Amino acid sequence: MQFSMRRARLAAAFLTLMVATACSSWDTPGAGLENYDSLMRIGDGQRANDDPMGAVNVYRKAQALNPKSPDPPIRIGQSMLAAGGNAEAAAAFQEALKLKPGNGEALRGLGAALIAMDQPALALAQFDLATTMDPTDIRALNGAGVALDLLGRHAEAQGKYQAALERDQGYVSARNNLGLSQAVSGDYAAAIATLSPLTGAVGGAGGTPRTRGNLALAYGLQGDMANAARWLRADLDEPSVQRYLIYFGRLRSATPEVRTESIRANPEYFPRPAAARR
């Protein structure tokens, strides 16, 4: 009995020490930032697990601990973009830029939010500022190209994509966007040459539904419906393939202006924002 009582007193003393240590750690210099780092990691994990709104809640707690860092509002903006909350994302990126003007990640994020809000001219200004700050920023060059394509300035857009590819030949997004831009502007042979390596036709690795779909579009606009159908069948059932072939045929018979506008307005080629997730 005496041994048990002694053991109980020791356990109580140990628990008291643990509680006291846990409470006092918040008052220790640097302890809040350590907790901030943990919260940022948790938020990153939730975002990686397709829980952007859960990540936003965690990032906001981190922001309360370290309000001078631009990282939490940047992550909030990225999460809101993934959830379809484009206006909230733009506000978060703007908040980050107040904390760190010229931050490339925040500028690119704001540009992406503005693209999603169908404001390509304002988006272009953000991407251009990012490349002014860092001329080697290939993601900003790629974003500027998308904004220019949406504005109908395809030759300038292709220049941006090519500038990005000069810095990184393996940058798939810029090559895919370049090929789509070439197809939209009527240079079908160039589009096929650009996109084929991404799809496996010329030693590529198979590509993605988007790169294969863009290659099918280029073939269809060129009038090669057999190759267009071949690439469509990689991802679609036969009724869907036939609908796309009809669409390509209608595009070929349209005026260049109508054809370009139709493709640019088609979310299959120029994605539009998804519905917000709450």
Side-chain angles (χ1 to χ4, degrees), residues 38-250:
S38 298
L39 287 169
M40 292 295 288
R41 284 193 295 271
I42 292 168
D44 291 345
Q46 288 187 286
R47 194 153 58 99
N49 289 325
D50 195 30
D51 182 14
M53 296 311 297
V56 166
N57 292 332
V58 176
Y59 291 138
R60 284 178 175 149
K61 293 176 182 177
Q63 186 177 20
L65 290 174
N66 193 3
K68 294 185 178 180
S69 171
D71 292 333
I74 287 173
R75 300 289 201 284
I76 289 169
Q78 292 166 340
S79 301
M80 292 306 304
L81 268 182
N86 304 311
E88 297 94 329
F93 291 125
Q94 288 168 332
E95 184 178 358
L97 288 167
K98 290 178 183 176
L99 293 167
K100 190 173 182 181
N103 180 279
E105 199 170 13
L107 287 168
R108 290 193 306 270
L110 180 55
L114 291 166
I115 288 285
M117 295 164 70
D118 290 322
Q119 298 182 46
L122 291 175
L124 179 60
Q126 312 311 313
F127 293 126
D128 281 347
L129 180 55
T131 55
T132 297
M133 302 295 294
D134 178 7
T136 68
D137 189 339
I138 60 174
R139 288 179 291 174
L141 287 167
N142 188 43
V146 173
L148 287 163
D149 265 329
L150 288 169
L151 291 167
R153 296 159 58 181
H154 303 299
E156 294 174 75
Q158 290 162 33
K160 297 291 186 182
Y161 302 136
Q162 288 163 344
L165 289 169
E166 286 172 5
R167 291 169 172 79
D168 182 359
Q169 285 292 317
Y171 189 15
V172 171
S173 181
R175 186 170 296 279
N176 179 56
N177 288 336
L178 173 61
L180 177 59
S181 183
Q182 290 167 331
V184 172
S185 61
D187 195 348
Y188 310 133
I192 291 167
T194 298
L195 292 166
S196 291
L198 299 179
T199 59
V202 188
T208 66
R210 187 165 298 283
T211 58
R212 291 189 291 269
N214 288 344
L215 181 58
L217 172 68
Y219 274 120
L221 293 176
Q222 191 184 51
D224 186 347
M225 295 303 178
N227 268 315
R230 178 165 69 94
W231 287 109
L232 289 170
R233 289 189 179 106
D235 301 291
L236 302 174
D237 59 24
E238 194 59 30
S240 298
V241 169
Q242 294 305 316
R243 284 194 294 271
Y244 270 93
L245 293 177
I246 292 170
Y247 175 60
F248 296 160
R250 289 174 178 167

Side-chain angles (χ1 to χ4, degrees), residues 6-63:
R6 182 170 179 271
R7 217 171 34 173
R9 285 195 296 271
L10 287 171
F14 177 73
L15 287 172
T16 300
L17 177 62
M18 287 293 289
V19 170
T21 302
C23 291
S24 64
S25 67
W26 290 94
D27 300 324
T28 304
L33 287 180
E34 291 172 4
N35 192 46
Y36 161 84
D37 291 337
S38 298
L39 287 169
M40 292 295 288
R41 284 193 295 271
I42 292 168
D44 291 345
Q46 288 187 286
R47 194 153 58 99
N49 289 325
D50 195 30
D51 182 14
M53 296 311 297
V56 166
N57 292 332
V58 176
Y59 291 138
R60 284 178 175 149
K61 293 176 182 177
Q63 186 177 20

Side-chain angles (χ1 to χ4, degrees), residues 248-270:
F248 296 160
R250 289 174 178 167
L251 288 174
R252 279 179 53 78
S253 65
T255 65
E257 294 78 15
V258 170
R259 180 166 55 245
T260 298
E261 185 57 35
S262 177
I263 298 169
R264 204 160 49 222
N266 190 330
E268 292 296 321
Y269 302 108
F270 289 92

